[in-house]
Amino acid sequence: MPSEPMRNVASIVTLFGPSPQCNPSGGAMFAPVVRALMRVPTLLLLASTHAFGAGTHCLPHESVAFSCSLAVSKVVSVCFAKASNAKPATLFYRFGRLGAPELVFPESPAGSLQRFRYAHYFRYQVDRTELNFSNAGVEYSVFDDYDGEERPKYARGVRVTANGKEHELLCKRDVASHLKELAALVPCDAESGLTLDGCK
């Protein structure tokens, strides 16, 4: 059975009828138009994939520090905006379906940077970064881990610890990670296992 785009092209040809300039080899005056129409669905698909394939919760004026799609069909994003025009820098964690986040932390932009804690550890073949915060007695840790001796080498996502139980949600696709850009903006987490040598 022909595809929808092919049926559409066939309908167009039927509607306008054969060109009076058709030749025995099958060429027609409208052949370039038909070929262009056949390419339209592919071009639209590519455009939509580029525009929406890596959707985040970040607003137009914000930059993405971290964002990915999780196995639970939801998106986790960390979004920041640098200070400009007398506006203070801001940092937000958002989790949920695109357009309808279930959790936004903190609720207010005022002092938002100080609500988070940053931790980083590096040695040969290992590079681990965390952005941690507490909300209503629950601990959250957005992490980006690299271990050259493990398979897979990368592990990214968010860990949630409540009532002594840890749950880990791993990124599945559309991963954007720039957590290290927050190192100079967010207080160091002296209590993290990644900062064994202390905050520097």
Side-chain angles (χ1 to χ4, degrees):
M1 180 178 293
S3 64
E4 188 64 31
M6 289 302 294
R7 285 198 297 270
N8 291 341
V9 171
S11 299
I12 292 172
V13 174
T14 302
L15 178 64
F16 288 101
S19 168
Q21 297 184 22
C22 287
N23 59 46
S25 65
M29 182 174 65
F30 58 78
V33 177
V34 172
R35 286 195 296 270
L37 288 171
M38 292 176 68
R39 288 196 298 269
V40 167
T42 302
L43 294 174
L44 291 176
L45 177 61
L46 291 174
S48 63
T49 300
H50 176 75
F52 305 109
T56 79
H57 290 295
C58 297
L59 303 178
H61 70 281
E62 296 175 328
S63 298
V64 177
F66 185 93
S67 189
C68 74
S69 298
L70 304 167
V72 292
S73 300
K74 297 181 182 181
V75 172
V76 57
S77 300
V78 176
C79 314
F80 72 100
K82 295 183 178 180
S84 62
N85 298 327
K87 292 183 179 180
T90 59
L91 183 62
F92 286 97
Y93 169 94
R94 300 183 180 105
F95 170 86
R97 298 186 183 278
L98 288 178
E102 302 166 19
L103 174 62
V104 176
F105 178 88
E107 295 181 357
S108 170
S112 57
L113 292 176
Q114 285 67 43
R115 303 293 299 275
F116 294 87
R117 307 179 307 277
Y118 177 87
H120 179 239
Y121 172 78
F122 175 80
R123 67 172 173 80
Y124 176 71
Q125 290 277 55
V126 175
D127 193 347
R128 304 184 190 279
T129 307
E130 290 179 352
L131 183 69
N132 305 316
F133 67 93
S134 301
N135 182 42
V138 180
E139 296 292 327
Y140 296 81
S141 179
V142 179
F143 64 92
D144 182 350
D145 293 345
Y146 170 81
D147 191 328
E149 298 177 354
E150 297 289 335
R151 294 293 182 274
K153 295 182 178 181
Y154 288 94
R156 296 167 171 140
V158 57
R159 298 185 186 96
V160 181
T161 304
N163 299 321
K165 295 182 179 180
E166 181 181 280
H167 303 276
E168 188 173 86
L169 301 174
L170 292 175
C171 296
K172 293 300 179 182
R173 62 186 185 278
D174 303 333
V175 181
S177 182
H178 311 287
L179 288 176
K180 292 178 182 177
E181 294 187 23
L182 303 178
L185 301 175
V186 179
C188 174
D189 191 347
E191 299 180 0
S192 170
L194 300 186
T195 53
L196 297 176
D197 296 332
C199 294
K200 300 177 181 179

